[in-house]
Amino acid sequence: MRSREYDLEFRERAARIRGWGTILLVVAGLLWGWCVVLLMTEYEVETRGGSTRECAARLFTEGGTANDGVWAGDYCAAERDWPEALAVLGLSIPVALVGTALVTTGSVSRRMSAHAQAMRELDRLTERREKEAERAKG
């Protein structure tokens, strides 16, 4: 019975590993979502005079409000800078890779455990049939 207890513990551990991987993939998805928000949504900035100015989405502008810069009297470029969006995207990559590795490891471990159990059951059935065949002959 120790092997059964070990197998159950092994499967629980594999499920926990897969669960952590799923959590990391969700975090990576949230980081990707944040990057999309930073790049694709319009935003407002407050100027030195206290008024607000509407800025075009960073991804959909061609030399417009987001790219002119403060030197041209525009505050949009300083508010949502490319390095911030790229940093969020860069941070999501290792999180997604580790999450994928954990989900894969947990899933494969669980499947291998199920396969090993199925093979043990087949071996038991084969042994039982062989014993019954020997009794019938003998």
Side-chain angles (χ1 to χ4, degrees), residues 28-41:
L30 291 173
L31 288 171
W32 292 334
W34 184 17
C35 184
V36 166
V37 166
L38 288 175
L39 294 176
M40 295 185 155
T41 58

Side-chain angles (χ1 to χ4, degrees), residues 67-86:
N67 292 326
D68 288 340
V70 177
W71 58 270
D74 187 10
Y75 298 92
C76 294
E79 183 67 22
R80 284 198 184 164
D81 206 5
W82 280 105
E84 180 184 359
L86 293 177

Side-chain angles (χ1 to χ4, degrees), residues 34-78:
W34 184 17
C35 184
V36 166
V37 166
L38 288 175
L39 294 176
M40 295 185 155
T41 58
E42 295 179 355
Y43 55 101
E44 292 182 353
V45 294
E46 190 172 327
T47 62
R48 288 184 186 159
S51 62
T52 59
R53 177 169 176 164
E54 191 168 317
C55 301
R58 194 67 147 133
L59 195 61
F60 301 124
T61 185
E62 293 180 20
T65 57
N67 292 326
D68 288 340
V70 177
W71 58 270
D74 187 10
Y75 298 92
C76 294

Side-chain angles (χ1 to χ4, degrees), residues 87-110:
V88 170
L89 190 61
L91 179 64
S92 71
I93 292 171
V95 173
L97 289 175
V98 171
T100 302
L102 289 176
V103 167
T104 302
T105 300
S107 297
V108 168
S109 296
R110 195 167 170 95

Side-chain angles (χ1 to χ4, degrees), residues 4 6 10 37 72 89-91 99 102 111 113 122 137:
R4 184 171 192 267
Y6 175 78
F10 182 82
V37 166
L89 190 61
L91 179 64
L102 289 176
R111 291 286 295 158
S113 175
L122 286 174
K137 284 182 183 179

